[in-house]
Amino acid sequence: MKRKFNTHYLIFGFFFVLITGCQQEEIKPQEVNLIPDAFYDLESLESEKAIDLDHDGVFATDILSETNTITEPTFFKNKERYFAELKTVIYNWTDQPRFYDQQIDVWLPYTNVIQDSDGNFLYTDYGFTGLIASYKFDKVKNSIQVISNAGQGAEVISAQLYEDVLTLKIKQYYYTNDWEILNLTGVYKKRK
């Protein structure tokens, strides 16, 4: 027994493809709440707990003091290299913006552990390193939500902006007698 092909299915399929293919919604970029791009100079960088990073026997919570940033002869030059920047990178693939990447760039003291040829600890020295975190700003709540971090050894946990003061909660590795993660609070003031 031969089955007869039902043309109703063919007609239904044709109209389904025609209707769904013609319904192209115009895709518009989402409205993005932007914080004006700005630089913020570091006012203080404090650890939750007192530590002795410079191995002088004195425990303190001030990371800049413990990394000898403020005792070096070139104090102002060195302190100025620690800052944060809020910026928005806009990627355009057509006439209208399609992608916004809101970033927090942070420059912090970075630990260099100096060892002898046998691997024995000699001393620590501090340079500076940058962190990059992506964020989303909520204009209604006036809050910054950290979405992701790039890099290793440190991360921005949270950020808060109130008038011209940016406060960052950061986790970063430092060397005391061994490597440990320190919870830090950085307070930054908007650069004029």
Side-chain angles (χ1 to χ4, degrees):
M1 191 158 138
K2 234 179 173 183
R3 289 187 98 174
K4 187 176 176 188
F5 183 76
N6 192 339
T7 57
H8 290 82
Y9 291 119
L10 182 61
I11 294 170
F12 175 78
F14 173 77
F15 281 111
F16 178 79
V17 170
L18 182 66
I19 291 170
T20 58
C22 292
Q23 289 183 346
Q24 290 186 354
E25 244 181 78
E26 183 181 343
I27 300 172
K28 295 180 181 177
Q30 285 186 320
E31 182 181 327
V32 177
N33 295 313
L34 301 176
I35 298 173
D37 295 353
F39 286 92
Y40 295 80
D41 293 316
L42 181 62
E43 295 291 313
S44 67
L45 186 61
E46 298 285 327
S47 173
E48 271 185 3
K49 68 177 192 171
I51 46 165
D52 182 18
L53 295 177
D54 57 3
H55 303 280
D56 64 355
V58 177
F59 287 75
T61 58
D62 182 359
I63 295 295
L64 297 178
S65 169
E66 282 297 313
T67 58
N68 293 317
T69 302
I70 61 173
T71 58
E72 295 176 9
T74 54
F75 160 65
F76 291 106
K77 177 182 171 195
N78 287 322
K79 187 176 179 189
E80 288 174 359
R81 67 183 172 185
Y82 304 124
F83 63 91
E85 178 185 12
L86 295 181
K87 66 181 180 182
T88 302
V89 180
I90 302 172
Y91 299 94
N92 291 308
W93 287 285
T94 62
D95 293 343
Q96 296 189 13
R98 295 290 182 193
F99 181 72
Y100 296 84
D101 187 15
Q102 295 176 297
Q103 296 176 352
I104 303 171
D105 293 351
V106 184
W107 293 92
L108 296 167
Y110 177 76
T111 308
N112 296 303
V113 176
I114 312 303
Q115 300 174 329
D116 64 16
S117 59
D118 295 327
N120 298 314
F121 171 79
L122 296 175
Y123 64 95
T124 53
D125 193 19
Y126 294 91
F128 61 99
T129 188
L131 307 175
I132 299 174
S134 292
Y135 74 91
K136 180 179 174 183
F137 179 64
D138 185 333
K139 192 175 5 180
V140 175
K141 296 178 183 175
N142 195 33
S143 68
I144 297 172
Q145 176 190 1
V146 177
I147 298 170
S148 65
N149 284 274
Q152 296 178 333
E155 63 181 289
V156 177
I157 303 301
S158 67
Q160 182 179 10
L161 184 62
Y162 181 73
E163 295 181 0
D164 287 346
V165 177
L166 175 66
T167 303
L168 300 177
K169 299 286 186 182
I170 300 164
K171 285 188 177 185
Q172 185 174 6
Y173 276 99
Y174 281 96
Y175 191 86
T176 51
N177 292 324
D178 200 1
W179 289 102
E180 66 177 294
I181 294 176
L182 297 179
N183 294 315
L184 310 175
T185 300
V187 177
Y188 299 80
K189 187 160 176 70
K190 188 173 186 178
R191 193 177 288 174
K192 300 290 177 189

